Amino acid sequence: MSSELDPAFETVPQAPARRIVISVDAMGGDRGPAAVVAGLALSAAEHRDIDFLLHGNEAELSALVARRPELKGRVRVVHAEGVVRMEDKPSQVLRTGSNTSMWSTIESLRQGDAMAAVSCGNTGALMAVSMIRLRKLPGVNRPAIACLWPSRGPKPFNVMLDVGADIKADAPDLLQYALMGASYARNGLGYDRPRVGLLNVGTEDHKGRAELRQAQELIASATETGNFDFVGFVEGGDLPSAKVDVIVTDGFTGNIALKTGEGTAKLVGELLRESLRATLLSKIGALFAMGSLKRLQLRIDPRRVNGGVFLGLNGTVVKSHGSADSTGVAAAITLAYRLARSGFQERLAQRVASLAEAAQDAGEGNNKNGNTE
Amino acid sequence: MSSELDPAFETVPQAPARRIVISVDAMGGDRGPAAVVAGLALSAAEHRDIDFLLHGNEAELSALVARRPELKGRVRVVHAEGVVRMEDKPSQVLRTGSNTSMWSTIESLRQGDAMAAVSCGNTGALMAVSMIRLRKLPGVNRPAIACLWPSRGPKPFNVMLDVGADIKADAPDLLQYALMGASYARNGLGYDRPRVGLLNVGTEDHKGRAELRQAQELIASATETGNFDFVGFVEGGDLPSAKVDVIVTDGFTGNIALKTGEGTAKLVGELLRESLRATLLSKIGALFAMGSLKRLQLRIDPRRVNGGVFLGLNGTVVKSHGSADSTGVAAAITLAYRLARSGFQERLAQRVASLAEAAQDAGEGNNKNGNTE
């Protein structure tokens, strides 16, 4: 398929009767299965072509589902005895966790019964189980977690990766992140030709660690293979910038940046609320401005940007915040749904394969796969 | 001096007639020397015991100073022909920059004519010139830049370091940062026994890179030598937290976190302003709430937290934001003044020396210098 035909997710042609099946882990989130089932109900009402495989305690889940008319006939409960807890170590879950709802959720994806998976559980364990059961895509060295970041650009979100799948990344890994992040931005967010930037401590070419300068060269030479533009180094202040769509970094730095940004937004929001409660005049002012303040809150609400996507595996896994409520769970499911509906997984696999091929062909100056996705 | 007597800066005993001399680079900031001289005037009005050495173009500076009655008799202008520009590479400044105002500013500190230095110029060049001219404190491997972060704790600011002096740090470097940051927090910010945290991607002991787990052990065993408490790993969301006062990290991660936090606060502030202008009701509301909103703006105003401090050199250098206006310059000068007044430089040197001694003595279990500052 040529890149000219590369459609945004909204316009992907599809057979009318095709159902999108999402595998959902009902357990392990901070708010328990009731919040997850409430999120399912919201998503089911919004998207008529979603069905669910729901993993966890069968008696409990069947009762919760039965109370939601929107879910009638659209959920199959898959019983799992065990639950992965937030404090469980990934290595321990790999050894003893095959009876858990998380494991079962990924297993449905592996067997092709679902087209994407969603969990609010322990991130480290979810990545470990996904790695071991789904395996890495051929050609991928380190999988990555991509998150969404409120943007001042033409679309409401930028993408940042890796935000914590791995704690390090060398230059070829960062190149793969660029490619995977760009593919995600096209298929999940409707970007046409995403602009990729590499996170660094300055924008000048001589700045930063040696592997970043190597990665800069690799990414600059892969823009045609990857169907993206490269804007070079960007800084921490550029994460919400209109000049970049996909920000590439190692998982240690990305995790710190993600949590710093979330923490700062939360702090400013709390201080704003305190200020507006501080005097009678400001309380009156807040009443008048309430509509606008509510719209602002919606715009920066972390629940609406909920969903880290695991990239580079044989299957699409969306990690929802552990503390997600029904709105948050529904946002994560919608993201999984869009990616499944766009055929993202197959496109990403082709893209990674063509990168590997282009690297092989590089000696011959032969870049015949440059425009496939 | 025993740690029980270790005073906060407000109460440092001093000879009444002692003047605090600050060496200030008037050139190289984005707003030019007029903003710097205006900042000097603000500081001079606030602190009656400050005098200044002001470096740059003599004719221009003398004219600016003459227009400020607050500065009469308190500024000596030191002529320097050259100016370090923001785009100059540090290596180039080291080779050809000895005629610049930045160089001259550091030189006055080196020669003992001033007790601290302030510049709004190019950070990389300022660190390079400071390193070469002042040299590292005996026992320090990598100097660090410490910044202030709005805090929810009992004091208005937390300290984070390194935010960009170096792009890497190993475990012993991180230990030195802990010690230097704690000393800065005591002397510059009035913390009694600062709580130090180590920035990581999770708070569990097994998380993160190997050097962080090593640093965790080193820092935990140095709390008495350093006169601080250690709270272990903290995450990006904890930077404004009330549970930690000093956050230790490598300069790459710290720089990304600092700029991410600043960028996020700016984004939320812009979105808030847009929201309040969006409807007639919200405009009316903003009028009522204006007093409270202004106080909020003051609280998170980056100009009021202006001033990165270079730690680990033979001399205290405060780096002001390049875009600082008179309020920002005055904040940086006040910080330099407090540190100079508290005898911070001598205390830090003793602290670093006692750490080195404690490390030597460790085999003998002899920690006799544990409580000096």
Side-chain angles (χ1 to χ4, degrees):
Chain A
M1 190 183 300
S2 88
S3 68
E4 285 78 1
L5 296 176
D6 199 18
F9 64 87
E10 291 87 352
T11 57
V12 174
Q14 54 177 318
R18 186 183 176 219
R19 308 291 298 171
I20 306 290
V21 181
I22 309 292
S23 179
V24 179
D25 178 8
M27 320 303 280
D30 299 341
R31 294 171 190 247
V36 175
V37 173
L40 255 57
L42 288 176
S43 309
E46 194 182 340
H47 307 289
R48 305 306 306 172
D49 54 346
I50 297 192
D51 289 340
F52 299 100
L53 295 174
L54 187 64
H55 304 260
N57 183 290
E58 183 162 24
E60 191 178 358
L61 295 182
S62 296
L64 286 167
V65 169
R67 274 183 235 137
R68 301 278 178 177
E70 313 89 311
L71 295 178
K72 194 172 153 74
R74 297 174 65 182
V75 178
R76 183 157 67 81
V77 173
V78 182
H79 181 69
E81 201 60 42
V83 175
V84 175
R85 291 161 307 172
M86 286 299 176
E87 63 274 22
D88 290 346
K89 288 194 188 181
S91 55
Q92 175 193 342
V93 175
L94 288 185
R95 279 196 307 276
T96 65
S98 64
N99 71 337
T100 60
S101 60
M102 181 185 282
W103 193 288
S104 176
T105 301
I106 298 302
E107 202 56 25
S108 289
L109 182 60
R110 190 179 77 83
Q111 292 175 351
D113 298 336
M115 297 152 80
V118 174
S119 173
C120 310
N122 178 327
T123 307
L126 184 61
M127 181 46 101
V129 171
S130 300
M131 280 271 270
I132 292 296
R133 300 306 295 163
L134 301 175
R135 300 273 167 195
K136 293 186 283 188
L137 264 183
V140 168
N141 178 37
R142 291 184 211 269
I145 304 177
C147 76
L148 299 178
W149 199 277
S151 170
R152 307 240 60 182
K155 310 241 173 211
F157 301 117
N158 290 342
V159 173
M160 176 164 70
L161 76 165
D162 173 30
V163 297
D166 207 321
I167 52 173
K168 57 184 177 176
D170 58 18
D173 298 328
L174 293 168
L175 169 60
Q176 289 186 333
Y177 294 173
L179 194 90
M180 297 195 297
S183 185
Y184 169 44
R186 280 193 302 271
N187 292 286
L189 302 168
Y191 280 96
D192 192 32
R193 188 176 167 97
R195 293 160 304 164
V196 171
L198 187 57
L199 190 60
N200 198 353
V201 295
T203 55
E204 303 89 344
D205 284 349
H206 65 278
K207 285 273 178 128
R209 296 167 172 158
E211 76 264 27
L212 287 177
R213 295 196 297 273
Q214 290 162 21
Q216 186 187 29
E217 287 183 25
L218 289 179
I219 297 173
S221 65
T223 55
E224 287 317 308
T225 316
N227 191 19
F228 59 77
D229 289 324
F230 182 52
V231 301
F233 290 141
V234 296
E235 299 185 74
D238 295 324
L239 297 180
S241 165
K243 77 179 192 193
V244 64
D245 308 314
V246 175
I247 295 105
V248 168
T249 187
D250 68 274
F252 184 90
T253 309
N255 183 279
I256 301 281
L258 172 63
K259 289 177 182 166
T260 299
E262 286 177 347
T264 306
K266 187 160 166 264
L267 174 73
V268 176
E270 286 170 5
L271 294 175
L272 174 62
R273 266 187 296 277
E274 283 169 26
S275 296
L276 291 177
R277 276 196 296 259
T279 68
L280 182 62
L281 275 181
S282 63
K283 281 181 193 161
I284 296 171
L287 279 178
F288 276 103
M290 188 173 287
S292 293
L293 291 174
K294 285 231 160 110
R295 278 188 295 280
L296 169 64
Q297 197 177 24
L298 261 178
R299 171 109 194 245
I300 58 174
D301 185 351
R303 298 177 308 169
R304 288 187 61 242
V305 299
N306 188 30
V309 178
F310 293 1
L311 300 174
L313 301 171
N314 290 300
T316 298
V317 178
V318 176
K319 166 66 177 75
S320 170
H321 263 297
S323 60
D325 60 8
S326 57
T327 308
V329 171
I333 291 173
T334 293
L335 186 56
Y337 164 80
R338 284 183 181 174
L339 290 170
R341 199 154 161 270
S342 72
F344 166 64
Q345 188 61 39
E346 297 71 34
R347 288 160 179 254
L348 177 64
Q350 279 176 24
R351 203 50 94 166
V352 171
S354 64
L355 177 70
E357 225 173 291
Q360 274 188 336
D361 294 350
E364 310 158 39
N366 179 350
N367 192 16
K368 64 182 187 298
N369 294 290
N371 274 330
T372 59
E373 171 124 17
Chain B
M1 190 183 302
S2 89
S3 68
E4 285 78 4
L5 296 176
D6 197 18
F9 64 86
E10 292 87 352
T11 58
V12 175
Q14 54 178 319
R18 185 185 178 218
R19 307 291 299 171
I20 307 290
V21 181
I22 309 292
S23 178
V24 179
D25 178 7
M27 319 303 279
D30 299 340
R31 294 169 190 249
V36 175
V37 173
L40 253 59
L42 289 175
S43 309
E46 194 181 341
H47 307 289
R48 306 305 306 173
D49 54 347
I50 298 192
D51 290 340
F52 299 100
L53 295 174
L54 187 63
H55 303 261
N57 182 290
E58 184 164 25
E60 191 178 357
L61 296 182
S62 296
L64 286 168
V65 168
R67 272 183 238 138
R68 303 276 178 177
E70 312 90 309
L71 295 178
K72 194 173 156 67
R74 298 174 64 183
V75 178
R76 184 157 68 81
V77 174
V78 181
H79 181 69
E81 200 59 41
V83 175
V84 174
R85 290 161 308 173
M86 287 298 176
E87 63 273 22
D88 290 345
K89 288 194 186 180
S91 54
Q92 175 194 340
V93 175
L94 289 184
R95 280 196 305 276
T96 64
S98 64
N99 70 336
T100 60
S101 60
M102 180 184 282
W103 193 289
S104 176
T105 301
I106 298 302
E107 202 55 26
S108 288
L109 182 61
R110 190 179 77 84
Q111 291 175 352
D113 298 335
M115 298 152 80
V118 174
S119 173
C120 309
N122 177 329
T123 306
L126 184 62
M127 181 45 102
V129 172
S130 300
M131 280 270 271
I132 292 295
R133 300 307 294 164
L134 301 175
R135 301 271 165 196
K136 294 185 283 188
L137 265 182
V140 168
N141 179 36
R142 292 183 210 271
I145 304 177
C147 76
L148 300 177
W149 199 276
S151 170
R152 307 241 61 183
K155 310 240 174 212
F157 301 116
N158 289 342
V159 172
M160 176 165 70
L161 76 165
D162 173 30
V163 296
D166 207 319
I167 52 173
K168 56 183 177 176
D170 59 18
D173 297 328
L174 293 168
L175 169 60
Q176 289 187 334
Y177 294 173
L179 194 91
M180 297 196 296
S183 185
Y184 169 44
R186 280 192 304 271
N187 292 284
L189 302 168
Y191 280 96
D192 191 33
R193 189 175 166 98
R195 294 160 304 164
V196 172
L198 187 57
L199 190 60
N200 198 352
V201 295
T203 55
E204 303 89 344
D205 284 349
H206 65 280
K207 284 273 178 132
R209 296 167 172 159
E211 76 262 27
L212 288 177
R213 295 195 297 273
Q214 289 163 24
Q216 185 187 28
E217 288 183 24
L218 289 179
I219 296 173
S221 65
T223 55
E224 287 317 309
T225 316
N227 191 19
F228 58 78
D229 290 325
F230 183 51
V231 301
F233 291 140
V234 297
E235 300 185 73
D238 295 324
L239 298 181
S241 166
K243 76 179 190 192
V244 65
D245 307 315
V246 176
I247 296 105
V248 168
T249 186
D250 68 274
F252 185 90
T253 309
N255 183 278
I256 300 282
L258 172 63
K259 290 178 181 166
T260 298
E262 286 177 346
T264 305
K266 189 162 164 261
L267 174 73
V268 176
E270 286 169 4
L271 294 175
L272 174 62
R273 266 188 295 276
E274 284 170 25
S275 295
L276 292 177
R277 277 197 295 258
T279 68
L280 181 62
L281 276 181
S282 62
K283 282 181 193 162
I284 296 170
L287 279 178
F288 276 104
M290 188 174 288
S292 293
L293 291 174
K294 285 229 160 114
R295 279 189 294 279
L296 169 64
Q297 198 177 23
L298 261 179
R299 170 109 194 244
I300 58 174
D301 185 351
R303 298 177 308 168
R304 287 186 64 242
V305 299
N306 189 30
V309 178
F310 293 180
L311 300 174
L313 302 171
N314 289 299
T316 298
V317 178
V318 176
K319 165 66 178 74
S320 169
H321 262 297
S323 60
D325 60 8
S326 57
T327 308
V329 170
I333 290 173
T334 293
L335 186 55
Y337 164 81
R338 284 183 181 172
L339 291 169
R341 200 155 161 268
S342 72
F344 166 63
Q345 188 61 39
E346 297 70 33
R347 288 161 179 252
L348 178 64
Q350 279 177 27
R351 201 51 92 168
V352 171
S354 66
L355 177 71
E357 225 173 291
Q360 273 187 337
D361 294 349
E364 310 157 40
N366 179 350
N367 191 16
K368 64 183 185 296
N369 294 290
N371 273 331
T372 58
E373 170 119 17

